Amino acid sequence: MENMEVNARIITSMSQGFANTYLLYTACKLEIFDFIEQNINTVLELSKKLNVDGQILSKILRPLVAYDFLEKKDVEYQLTEKGKLLTGSSKNSLKGYVLYCGGICAKSWSMMAEAAKTKQIPYSLAMGAELFAENEKDEGHYFAFNNMMNFISERTSLSDFLCDLQDTNIKRIVDIGGGTGAVITQFLKYFHHATGTILDLEFVKEKALQNLKKNMVIDRCDFVPGDFFKSFSISGDIFILSRVLHDWNDEDSIKILRNIKANMTDNSVLYIIELVIPEEVKRENIDVYMNDLQIWAVCGGTERKLLEYYKLLHSAGLSYIDSKQIHSGESVIEARLDIKIEEGEI
Ligand SMILES: C[S@@+](CC[C@H](N)C(=O)[O-])C[C@H]1O[C@@H](n2cnc3c(N)ncnc32)[C@H](O)[C@@H]1O
């Protein structure tokens, strides 16, 4: 009976997970944190500004106080440290992250059962569109996506991996689908004398240049608008492919890899950065399994096992060399051009 109680609690609590997602989403969508920051901070002022009934507003504000996003002094609400992170103006703002989770992910996840049965992508069923195309069309959508992406990529801890690299001869670093440059920036800060190029879709350019400037690598890194499904010509000692392959099925992934391969020389190396699914299913790896579902839900992609990366590389004519797991959980998979064995060497 005791077990039944514990199990029932686990199930009811997991089933209520959406409530926290939507509490934060609603508060961010209504811009409650931003208005409080501007001292529009009583129920009366907020309800006028937002055109929301005061009683409903109080229902939203109460749990935000209880969760320590806001504090209430007399009739005025103030932001706590946590609440400040949900304003658009905060340096480390997570407002976009919250909008991405509530406005894009949660809606996609809600369509998973239908999508699985009809062999469609949950996001497409929910939104009637495609994630990357929508990023291009809708500024708010891209703001949310980009905020989430930067948050994750800035936490990809590459420092130990980079310190272990022996090659001091690196001059050119190319980040394919490099987004706004959170990953290439780490490489450029380690290889002080190298120059870099980000290849990504045209509409990403402006935010990428802003980010490179913020990180003081703008003088060493340019942005080339391009489509990684079409051939391109960029020379590089290091090619980076971070969290790109997991967005695509095997056929598309092989196309991307072949286009990179066409730019590689015997001395260049490709580093693929992805979460790798461990062979054995264990509770401690729950984040990887949930991320795998998340990638399928939003863009029909998939996380893969190491053997699957090995096979993808092989199909694209590249050789798997090594794989190292980094501190933040992702793996860096090293690939090079297929090693040709000369007749005399056999
Ligand atoms: C999941 S994000 C990864 C961004 C970055 N590599 C990182 O790890 O932070 C995928 C990136 O692929 C880019 N992308 C999607 N389709 C593309 C295409 N056809 N050609 C070039 N870039 C593309 C997106 O704009 C986005 O920046």
Side-chain angles (χ1 to χ4, degrees):
M1 197 57 193
E2 254 178 40
N3 254 352
M4 143 67 203
E5 246 335 287
V6 172
N7 288 337
R9 267 201 205 144
I10 292 172
I11 292 169
T12 49
S13 144
M14 282 181 75
S15 304
Q16 294 261 348
F18 69 90
N20 286 332
T21 305
Y22 279 111
L23 171 66
L24 291 187
Y25 175 73
T26 304
C28 283
K29 187 84 184 159
L30 292 173
E31 310 210 293
I32 287 177
F33 302 104
D34 303 280
F35 287 126
I36 293 180
E37 188 187 37
Q38 294 160 30
N39 288 326
I40 301 167
N41 59 2
T42 65
V43 170
L44 198 66
E45 288 166 348
L46 281 166
S47 81
K48 249 198 227 156
K49 188 80 190 172
L50 299 171
N51 194 21
V52 170
D53 175 84
Q55 264 188 349
I56 302 288
L57 194 58
S58 297
K59 287 182 199 296
I60 299 170
L61 294 172
R62 267 196 302 259
L64 292 174
V65 173
Y67 273 136
D68 192 34
F69 287 94
L70 300 176
E71 53 191 4
K72 193 176 177 203
K73 289 191 184 135
D74 298 327
V75 291
E76 289 185 353
Y77 289 86
Q78 301 293 340
L79 299 176
T80 61
E81 292 266 302
K82 235 185 301 176
K84 283 182 193 156
L85 285 177
L86 295 179
T87 61
S89 66
S90 159
K91 191 167 141 262
N92 301 309
S93 176
L94 286 171
K95 184 179 174 186
Y97 189 104
V98 167
L99 293 173
Y100 180 76
C101 289
I104 297 171
C105 303
K107 286 182 186 157
S108 305
W109 280 62
S110 76
M111 296 309 287
M112 274 190 187
E114 287 84 347
K117 282 209 170 266
T118 55
K119 296 188 173 41
Q120 294 180 72
I121 298 172
Y123 176 96
S124 307
L125 268 186
M127 314 286 212
E130 188 264 313
L131 181 84
F132 292 116
E134 210 54 21
N135 270 349
E136 185 161 7
K137 267 200 259 157
D138 179 340
E139 213 177 302
H141 190 282
Y142 182 55
F143 165 78
F145 173 86
N146 190 37
N147 193 217
M148 171 284 299
M149 207 60 249
N150 276 345
F151 178 78
I152 293 173
S153 298
E154 279 167 6
R155 275 156 191 77
T156 305
S157 47
L158 287 161
S159 50
D160 289 351
F161 169 79
L162 289 168
C163 276
D164 284 349
L165 290 183
Q166 302 292 323
D167 201 339
T168 50
N169 231 352
I170 299 299
K171 293 195 178 66
R172 293 271 314 131
I173 303 171
V174 185
D175 195 349
I176 303 299
T180 53
V183 174
I184 198 172
T185 296
Q186 293 196 50
F187 277 76
L188 288 170
K189 284 188 175 167
Y190 183 77
F191 293 106
H192 298 285
H193 301 294
T195 59
T197 298
I198 296 173
L199 178 134
D200 207 299
L201 300 169
E202 168 80 50
F203 71 91
V204 175
K205 183 171 180 176
E206 195 187 321
K207 286 253 175 328
L209 295 181
Q210 279 168 12
N211 203 37
L212 294 171
K213 196 167 173 193
K214 188 179 102 189
N215 281 293
M216 293 187 290
V217 289
I218 185 85
D219 52 336
R220 289 194 287 134
C221 191
D222 61 355
F223 183 100
V224 172
D227 178 352
F228 48 45
F229 289 114
K230 298 192 178 139
S231 66
F232 52 85
S233 170
I234 309 174
S235 64
D237 301 308
I238 291 178
F239 288 85
I240 306 165
L241 198 52
S242 165
R243 292 189 192 82
V244 168
L245 294 182
H246 75 172
D247 293 338
W248 306 97
N249 63 26
D250 286 2
E251 198 187 331
D252 286 335
S253 296
I254 292 166
K255 279 187 204 153
I256 299 170
L257 287 169
R258 287 200 173 125
N259 284 335
I260 297 174
K261 183 192 163 204
N263 287 276
M264 290 172 72
T265 66
D266 287 347
N267 293 324
S268 20
V269 57
L270 166 64
Y271 291 125
I272 296 169
I273 303 172
E274 294 284 2
L275 276 177
V276 171
I277 302 185
E279 279 303 323
E280 198 188 336
V281 178
K282 286 191 190 154
R283 175 66 177 82
E284 69 205 49
N285 296 323
I286 189 71
D287 288 352
V288 183
Y289 312 134
M290 296 302 252
N291 210 62
D292 180 37
L293 271 176
Q294 162 83 341
I295 287 297
W296 170 62
V298 296
C299 62
T302 182
E303 302 296 0
R304 294 179 171 89
K305 296 181 178 177
L306 199 53
L307 184 62
E308 294 173 302
Y309 280 108
Y310 180 92
K311 287 182 180 164
L312 276 187
L313 288 166
H314 182 72
S315 305
L318 288 161
S319 286
Y320 167 89
I321 305 292
D322 194 11
S323 160
K324 285 193 184 114
Q325 192 170 23
I326 55 175
H327 234 58
S328 41
E330 299 87 349
S331 292
V332 182
I333 300 167
E334 176 182 342
R336 291 183 183 262
L337 288 188
D338 256 343
I339 300 155
K340 290 183 205 76
I341 301 169
E342 303 294 333
E343 261 183 53
E345 292 178 61
I346 302 169

